[in-house]
Amino acid sequence: MERNTRPEARIPQTLAKIAGLFQKDPALGERALRAYAALVGLSPGQRSYLEALRPFLTPSRRERAREAFQAAYLRHFAESLPRYPYATDDPAQGVRIQKRENALKRVHVQVGHYPHAVLRLVVDVDLPWPLAEERFRALPPTLMLVNQTGHFHAWYEIDPIPLRVPPERQETLRKTLALLAQVEALLETFYGADPGYNGLLSRNPLLHPPEWTWGGGKRWTLEDLLRELQALLPRGVRRAARWELSSYGRNCALFDRLRVEAYGQVNAFRGLTGGWEAFRNWVYQRAYALNQALFRDHPKGSLDPREVGHTAKSVSGWTWKNYRGTRVWPTSSTGRPDRSRLPPEARAHIPPLQGQELREAVKAGASLGGRKRGSQRRQETEERLVEALKRLQARGEKVTARALAREAGVKPHTASRWLKRMRK
């Protein structure tokens, strides 16, 4: 039988050999492929010979790992992006809210500080490359986006922390945010990260060059990340890390300051027509004012207005429904605060009780007092004193027995004995 020696019969064998060169040395394989294309009459602009070579190329181990882990994470990132994130092609020209479909076409996209949940921590690392490589090998990021200068953004995907929680879970959320701020501060310390980066925007990983997109999509829990950082950092370095300067430390600072001020003002609005709306508006206005006052000189700047609004909504709702830190005389129809326990400016907004309403209030107060006995009464008195002390400290007033008694609605000698016991 006559052997087939036509050139087209030798094409698969030649392409297979070139594919072997690609596996050993991509540059050498590219030169051999271009020479082969010129031999068969293809111009450099024609890419059909690359398509012909594709079936003979087996993906490298790194490419297989990228498809198995990194590609899956990038799909998750695109799906978990909020419906209206911030995005831009040039941060110097400003950012704006866009639809998810349009945002994914931009060079820079919002990766943190979503108003509904915390999904990841991102730090900006500017270390020299050998030192940076040592750090990220010790604590593998979920994703690394490296730029041409060798600096990179390290992403750490964590289990989602929902920020829109019912009132009964507000205290748990406050503790979780404090832990989150601590972890972020330790992470910035571990990398020596840029203190001015606020974690809001990063390069879009779907548009970033694949050869400069590293990482296998590892997910972390907040507790595991904290445990690893504590093991990697000396105790003295951990103590020196300032959580209040971290990105999420601002959220904690605003939350704590705002709730204390709301506790001191909520009773001024109870019993008024439209009191809930007025109190909510006051909390929102105070939150935006505190955002500007507390973080004017913060290295990361002030919080995003959407985050401030979410914090104000959470604090106002919980305080109005649950907080009973000062004495309230119940009546037959309303929960009006006792005017004698309010500051003069708040007392002016609440008209005094008259006639039958006054008699019912006095009767209800006497009945309530008659039912309280022993340890229960002492416990409630101590709780009022603790809350009164917090409000005095939040307003920057001097803590004396007389001021404490007036704020808590107790007798001066009771406040004096409690204050002496606390100071001991």
Side-chain angles (χ1 to χ4, degrees):
M1 185 174 59
E2 183 181 356
R3 180 184 297 181
N4 189 349
T5 58
R6 292 179 301 175
E8 51 269 26
R10 297 193 299 270
I11 289 177
Q13 184 180 3
T14 306
L15 290 177
K17 292 180 179 179
I18 296 176
L21 289 176
F22 260 102
Q23 298 299 328
K24 296 178 181 179
D25 187 346
L28 181 60
E30 178 69 22
R31 290 198 297 270
L33 186 60
R34 290 183 179 276
Y36 171 74
L39 180 64
V40 297
L42 293 176
S43 65
Q46 293 177 290
R47 308 301 292 178
S48 58
Y49 60 94
L50 288 178
E51 296 299 326
L53 182 65
R54 191 177 302 278
F56 298 91
L57 291 174
T58 56
S60 64
R61 182 178 179 182
R62 181 174 180 180
E63 291 173 344
R64 293 197 302 269
R66 176 182 294 165
E67 181 61 29
F69 301 104
Q70 189 184 100
Y73 174 70
L74 294 181
R75 288 192 294 270
H76 164 75
F77 168 75
E79 294 169 358
S80 63
L81 197 67
R83 292 177 58 190
Y84 295 97
Y86 288 113
T88 182
D89 285 329
D90 183 5
Q93 301 298 323
V95 300
R96 62 187 183 92
I97 298 173
Q98 302 184 25
K99 287 185 178 181
R100 179 193 300 160
E101 296 78 11
N102 297 331
L104 290 174
K105 300 176 184 177
R106 303 300 179 187
V107 178
H108 300 270
V109 70
Q110 184 179 2
V111 296
H113 292 279
Y114 301 136
H116 69 289
V118 180
L119 302 181
R120 64 188 63 87
L121 295 173
V122 183
V123 291
D124 184 13
V125 184
D126 299 336
L127 289 176
W129 186 246
L131 186 57
E133 186 177 11
E134 177 185 345
R135 300 293 171 86
F136 74 71
R137 289 189 184 279
L139 193 70
T142 305
L143 198 70
M144 288 175 55
L145 301 178
V146 186
N147 60 24
Q148 296 178 351
T149 62
H151 301 165
F152 60 90
H153 281 182
W155 296 19
Y156 286 86
E157 189 84 5
I158 60 176
D159 291 341
I161 301 175
L163 299 178
R164 295 173 180 171
V165 298
E168 59 269 16
R169 294 187 57 194
Q170 288 300 317
E171 185 63 23
T172 303
L173 175 62
R174 186 180 69 83
K175 294 179 180 178
T176 304
L177 287 177
L179 179 61
L180 181 69
Q182 180 186 357
V183 170
E184 187 180 20
L186 292 177
L187 192 62
E188 291 181 348
T189 302
F190 175 71
Y191 275 111
D194 181 4
Y197 177 67
N198 60 15
L200 180 69
L201 292 178
S202 183
R203 285 188 172 271
N204 185 351
L206 303 179
L207 302 182
H208 201 64
E211 61 272 18
W212 296 108
T213 304
W214 301 352
K218 177 179 173 62
R219 311 287 181 88
W220 292 84
T221 66
L222 201 58
E223 293 76 13
D224 287 345
L225 194 54
L226 176 62
R227 193 179 303 113
E228 291 291 333
L229 286 167
Q230 288 175 338
L232 291 169
L233 291 171
R235 180 180 298 179
V237 175
R238 296 200 305 268
R239 289 180 176 177
R242 299 181 59 186
W243 67 266
E244 66 275 9
L245 295 182
S246 67
S247 184
Y248 283 100
R250 299 172 300 168
N251 299 70
C252 297
L254 177 64
F255 187 90
D256 288 337
R257 178 67 178 270
L258 184 63
R259 69 186 179 93
V260 170
E261 293 196 13
Y263 296 164
Q265 296 295 328
V266 62
N267 275 344
F269 297 90
R270 295 191 190 277
L272 296 176
T273 302
W276 156 239
E277 289 78 10
F279 174 69
R280 181 180 58 188
N281 292 337
W282 179 86
V283 172
Y284 270 80
Q285 293 173 5
R286 189 60 187 151
Y288 289 117
L290 285 174
N291 184 40
Q292 298 299 322
L294 294 177
F295 311 125
R296 180 180 295 110
D297 299 325
H298 198 281
K300 301 184 189 299
S302 57
L303 282 168
D304 181 83
R306 294 193 296 180
E307 291 184 89
V308 177
H310 176 73
T311 301
K313 179 180 179 181
S314 175
V315 169
S316 60
W318 186 93
T319 304
W320 184 264
K321 289 181 180 179
N322 299 277
Y323 185 74
R324 295 292 184 273
T326 55
R327 192 173 184 180
V328 175
W329 293 100
T331 67
S332 58
S333 58
T334 65
R336 294 162 53 96
D338 181 7
R339 295 175 73 251
S340 65
R341 309 301 181 193
L342 297 175
E345 59 273 12
R347 192 180 310 163
H349 295 283
I350 302 177
L353 296 176
Q354 302 290 342
Q356 182 64 25
E357 288 184 343
L358 179 60
R359 288 191 292 272
E360 288 179 0
V362 173
K363 182 179 179 181
S367 175
L368 181 64
R371 290 195 301 268
K372 295 179 180 177
R373 294 293 183 268
S375 61
Q376 180 183 2
R377 182 179 297 177
R378 286 193 297 272
Q379 181 180 357
E380 292 184 356
T381 300
E382 186 166 353
E383 290 176 355
R384 293 205 303 271
L385 286 167
V386 170
E387 297 297 336
L389 178 62
K390 291 180 180 179
R391 292 195 295 274
L392 288 174
Q393 291 175 337
R395 295 198 295 264
E397 298 181 12
K398 186 177 181 180
V399 179
T400 63
R402 186 173 298 277
L404 196 61
R406 182 174 62 252
E407 185 71 19
V410 300
K411 294 182 179 180
H413 68 272
T414 302
S416 177
R417 288 199 305 268
W418 180 83
L419 194 59
K420 287 179 181 179
R421 189 168 67 251
M422 291 294 293
R423 284 173 174 168
K424 288 181 181 180

